[in-house]
PDB file of all heavy atoms in Angstrom:
ATOM      1  N   VAL A  78      -5.920   1.181 -17.786  1.00 98.00           N
ATOM      2  CA  VAL A  78      -5.704   0.112 -16.805  1.00 98.00           C
ATOM      3  C   VAL A  78      -6.079  -1.242 -17.405  1.00 98.00           C
ATOM      4  O   VAL A  78      -5.401  -2.254 -17.175  1.00 98.00           O
ATOM      5  CB  VAL A  78      -6.515   0.408 -15.522  1.00 98.00           C
ATOM      6  CG1 VAL A  78      -6.433  -0.765 -14.551  1.00 98.00           C
ATOM      7  CG2 VAL A  78      -6.009   1.691 -14.861  1.00 98.00           C
ATOM      8  N   LEU A  79      -7.159  -1.282 -18.187  1.00 98.00           N
ATOM      9  CA  LEU A  79      -7.614  -2.560 -18.755  1.00 98.00           C
ATOM     10  C   LEU A  79      -6.603  -3.170 -19.711  1.00 98.00           C
ATOM     11  O   LEU A  79      -6.624  -4.378 -19.952  1.00 98.00           O
ATOM     12  CB  LEU A  79      -8.956  -2.367 -19.477  1.00 98.00           C
ATOM     13  CG  LEU A  79     -10.184  -2.148 -18.579  1.00 98.00           C
ATOM     14  CD1 LEU A  79     -11.418  -1.918 -19.438  1.00 98.00           C
ATOM     15  CD2 LEU A  79     -10.392  -3.339 -17.645  1.00 98.00           C
ATOM     16  N   LYS A  80      -5.707  -2.352 -20.247  1.00 98.00           N
ATOM     17  CA  LYS A  80      -4.691  -2.861 -21.177  1.00 98.00           C
ATOM     18  C   LYS A  80      -3.853  -3.966 -20.538  1.00 98.00           C
ATOM     19  O   LYS A  80      -3.423  -4.903 -21.227  1.00 98.00           O
ATOM     20  CB  LYS A  80      -3.785  -1.693 -21.601  1.00 98.00           C
ATOM     21  CG  LYS A  80      -2.506  -2.100 -22.292  1.00 98.00           C
ATOM     22  CD  LYS A  80      -1.608  -0.900 -22.551  1.00 98.00           C
ATOM     23  CE  LYS A  80      -0.256  -1.310 -23.114  1.00 98.00           C
ATOM     24  NZ  LYS A  80       0.620  -0.140 -23.373  1.00 98.00           N
ATOM     25  N   PHE A  81      -3.630  -3.866 -19.236  1.00 98.00           N
ATOM     26  CA  PHE A  81      -2.709  -4.796 -18.569  1.00 98.00           C
ATOM     27  C   PHE A  81      -3.390  -6.094 -18.130  1.00 98.00           C
ATOM     28  O   PHE A  81      -2.712  -7.078 -17.855  1.00 98.00           O
ATOM     29  CB  PHE A  81      -2.086  -4.108 -17.352  1.00 98.00           C
ATOM     30  CG  PHE A  81      -1.363  -2.840 -17.694  1.00 98.00           C
ATOM     31  CD1 PHE A  81      -1.955  -1.603 -17.456  1.00 98.00           C
ATOM     32  CD2 PHE A  81      -0.117  -2.869 -18.282  1.00 98.00           C
ATOM     33  CE1 PHE A  81      -1.300  -0.428 -17.776  1.00 98.00           C
ATOM     34  CE2 PHE A  81       0.546  -1.696 -18.622  1.00 98.00           C
ATOM     35  CZ  PHE A  81      -0.055  -0.472 -18.373  1.00 98.00           C
ATOM     36  N   PHE A  82      -4.719  -6.074 -18.054  1.00 98.00           N
ATOM     37  CA  PHE A  82      -5.419  -7.229 -17.482  1.00 98.00           C
ATOM     38  C   PHE A  82      -6.623  -7.623 -18.351  1.00 98.00           C
ATOM     39  O   PHE A  82      -7.756  -7.672 -17.876  1.00 98.00           O
ATOM     40  CB  PHE A  82      -5.894  -6.898 -16.064  1.00 98.00           C
ATOM     41  CG  PHE A  82      -4.809  -6.383 -15.166  1.00 98.00           C
ATOM     42  CD1 PHE A  82      -4.757  -5.038 -14.828  1.00 98.00           C
ATOM     43  CD2 PHE A  82      -3.822  -7.234 -14.670  1.00 98.00           C
ATOM     44  CE1 PHE A  82      -3.751  -4.551 -13.999  1.00 98.00           C
ATOM     45  CE2 PHE A  82      -2.817  -6.756 -13.846  1.00 98.00           C
ATOM     46  CZ  PHE A  82      -2.775  -5.412 -13.519  1.00 98.00           C
ATOM     47  N   PRO A  83      -6.402  -7.935 -19.617  1.00 97.00           N
ATOM     48  CA  PRO A  83      -7.542  -8.269 -20.488  1.00 97.00           C
ATOM     49  C   PRO A  83      -8.311  -9.493 -20.004  1.00 97.00           C
ATOM     50  O   PRO A  83      -9.533  -9.570 -20.194  1.00 97.00           O
ATOM     51  CB  PRO A  83      -6.884  -8.511 -21.853  1.00 97.00           C
ATOM     52  CG  PRO A  83      -5.447  -8.819 -21.551  1.00 97.00           C
ATOM     53  CD  PRO A  83      -5.109  -8.010 -20.337  1.00 97.00           C
ATOM     54  N   ASP A  84      -7.628 -10.422 -19.356  1.00 97.00           N
ATOM     55  CA  ASP A  84      -8.294 -11.644 -18.908  1.00 97.00           C
ATOM     56  C   ASP A  84      -9.038 -11.468 -17.593  1.00 97.00           C
ATOM     57  O   ASP A  84      -9.782 -12.362 -17.177  1.00 97.00           O
ATOM     58  CB  ASP A  84      -7.269 -12.778 -18.756  1.00 97.00           C
ATOM     59  CG  ASP A  84      -6.587 -13.116 -20.070  1.00 97.00           C
ATOM     60  OD1 ASP A  84      -7.197 -12.876 -21.131  1.00 97.00           O
ATOM     61  OD2 ASP A  84      -5.441 -13.607 -20.029  1.00 97.00           O
ATOM     62  N   GLU A  85      -8.817 -10.330 -16.923  1.00 97.00           N
ATOM     63  CA  GLU A  85      -9.457 -10.089 -15.619  1.00 97.00           C
ATOM     64  C   GLU A  85     -10.614  -9.105 -15.737  1.00 97.00           C
ATOM     65  O   GLU A  85     -11.306  -8.826 -14.769  1.00 97.00           O
ATOM     66  CB  GLU A  85      -8.423  -9.517 -14.633  1.00 97.00           C
ATOM     67  CG  GLU A  85      -7.135 -10.312 -14.526  1.00 97.00           C
ATOM     68  CD  GLU A  85      -7.182 -11.350 -13.432  1.00 97.00           C
ATOM     69  OE1 GLU A  85      -8.284 -11.808 -13.099  1.00 97.00           O
ATOM     70  OE2 GLU A  85      -6.116 -11.691 -12.904  1.00 97.00           O
ATOM     71  N   ALA A  86     -10.811  -8.539 -16.912  1.00 97.00           N
ATOM     72  CA  ALA A  86     -11.807  -7.481 -17.100  1.00 97.00           C
ATOM     73  C   ALA A  86     -13.226  -8.041 -17.082  1.00 97.00           C
ATOM     74  O   ALA A  86     -13.457  -9.202 -17.437  1.00 97.00           O
ATOM     75  CB  ALA A  86     -11.554  -6.765 -18.419  1.00 97.00           C
ATOM     76  N   PRO A  87     -14.199  -7.230 -16.684  1.00 97.00           N
ATOM     77  CA  PRO A  87     -15.604  -7.643 -16.799  1.00 97.00           C
ATOM     78  C   PRO A  87     -15.958  -7.909 -18.266  1.00 97.00           C
ATOM     79  O   PRO A  87     -15.318  -7.378 -19.178  1.00 97.00           O
ATOM     80  CB  PRO A  87     -16.383  -6.425 -16.269  1.00 97.00           C
ATOM     81  CG  PRO A  87     -15.399  -5.611 -15.496  1.00 97.00           C
ATOM     82  CD  PRO A  87     -14.064  -5.870 -16.110  1.00 97.00           C
ATOM     83  N   VAL A  88     -16.982  -8.705 -18.462  1.00 97.00           N
ATOM     84  CA  VAL A  88     -17.402  -9.040 -19.834  1.00 97.00           C
ATOM     85  C   VAL A  88     -17.808  -7.776 -20.579  1.00 97.00           C
ATOM     86  O   VAL A  88     -17.462  -7.589 -21.748  1.00 97.00           O
ATOM     87  CB  VAL A  88     -18.573 -10.045 -19.787  1.00 97.00           C
ATOM     88  CG1 VAL A  88     -19.100 -10.307 -21.202  1.00 97.00           C
ATOM     89  CG2 VAL A  88     -18.124 -11.352 -19.140  1.00 97.00           C
ATOM     90  N   ARG A  89     -18.528  -6.876 -19.880  1.00 97.00           N
ATOM     91  CA  ARG A  89     -18.941  -5.614 -20.496  1.00 97.00           C
ATOM     92  C   ARG A  89     -18.468  -4.453 -19.618  1.00 97.00           C
ATOM     93  O   ARG A  89     -19.244  -3.930 -18.802  1.00 97.00           O
ATOM     94  CB  ARG A  89     -20.460  -5.580 -20.672  1.00 97.00           C
ATOM     95  CG  ARG A  89     -20.957  -6.463 -21.804  1.00 97.00           C
ATOM     96  CD  ARG A  89     -22.460  -6.415 -21.963  1.00 97.00           C
ATOM     97  NE  ARG A  89     -23.132  -7.093 -20.851  1.00 97.00           N
ATOM     98  CZ  ARG A  89     -23.327  -8.405 -20.781  1.00 97.00           C
ATOM     99  NH1 ARG A  89     -22.900  -9.184 -21.758  1.00 97.00           N
ATOM    100  NH2 ARG A  89     -23.944  -8.937 -19.749  1.00 97.00           N
ATOM    101  N   PRO A  90     -17.227  -4.051 -19.724  1.00 98.00           N
ATOM    102  CA  PRO A  90     -16.713  -2.968 -18.883  1.00 98.00           C
ATOM    103  C   PRO A  90     -17.434  -1.656 -19.186  1.00 98.00           C
ATOM    104  O   PRO A  90     -17.779  -1.372 -20.334  1.00 98.00           O
ATOM    105  CB  PRO A  90     -15.230  -2.884 -19.254  1.00 98.00           C
ATOM    106  CG  PRO A  90     -15.116  -3.562 -20.576  1.00 98.00           C
ATOM    107  CD  PRO A  90     -16.210  -4.570 -20.650  1.00 98.00           C
ATOM    108  N   SER A  91     -17.653  -0.876 -18.140  1.00 98.00           N
ATOM    109  CA  SER A  91     -18.320   0.411 -18.305  1.00 98.00           C
ATOM    110  C   SER A  91     -17.408   1.402 -19.026  1.00 98.00           C
ATOM    111  O   SER A  91     -16.185   1.211 -19.109  1.00 98.00           O
ATOM    112  CB  SER A  91     -18.675   0.987 -16.932  1.00 98.00           C
ATOM    113  OG  SER A  91     -17.489   1.340 -16.226  1.00 98.00           O
ATOM    114  N   ALA A  92     -18.015   2.457 -19.537  1.00 98.00           N
ATOM    115  CA  ALA A  92     -17.235   3.493 -20.220  1.00 98.00           C
ATOM    116  C   ALA A  92     -16.227   4.116 -19.264  1.00 98.00           C
ATOM    117  O   ALA A  92     -15.085   4.413 -19.664  1.00 98.00           O
ATOM    118  CB  ALA A  92     -18.174   4.567 -20.778  1.00 98.00           C
ATOM    119  N   ASN A  93     -16.618   4.298 -18.010  1.00 98.00           N
ATOM    120  CA  ASN A  93     -15.689   4.896 -17.044  1.00 98.00           C
ATOM    121  C   ASN A  93     -14.522   3.966 -16.740  1.00 98.00           C
ATOM    122  O   ASN A  93     -13.377   4.426 -16.593  1.00 98.00           O
ATOM    123  CB  ASN A  93     -16.423   5.263 -15.750  1.00 98.00           C
ATOM    124  CG  ASN A  93     -17.245   6.534 -15.885  1.00 98.00           C
ATOM    125  OD1 ASN A  93     -17.065   7.299 -16.837  1.00 98.00           O
ATOM    126  ND2 ASN A  93     -18.134   6.767 -14.930  1.00 98.00           N
ATOM    127  N   LEU A  94     -14.785   2.677 -16.643  1.00 98.00           N
ATOM    128  CA  LEU A  94     -13.680   1.738 -16.418  1.00 98.00           C
ATOM    129  C   LEU A  94     -12.739   1.730 -17.621  1.00 98.00           C
ATOM    130  O   LEU A  94     -11.515   1.720 -17.460  1.00 98.00           O
ATOM    131  CB  LEU A  94     -14.214   0.334 -16.146  1.00 98.00           C
ATOM    132  CG  LEU A  94     -13.156  -0.749 -15.931  1.00 98.00           C
ATOM    133  CD1 LEU A  94     -12.247  -0.410 -14.750  1.00 98.00           C
ATOM    134  CD2 LEU A  94     -13.807  -2.119 -15.725  1.00 98.00           C
TER     135      LEU A  94
END
Side-chain angles (χ1 to χ4, degrees):
V78 174
L79 288 178
K80 166 186 174 180
F81 303 102
F82 307 106
D84 298 334
E85 309 268 26
V88 175
R89 286 180 289 277
S91 68
N93 283 345
L94 178 59

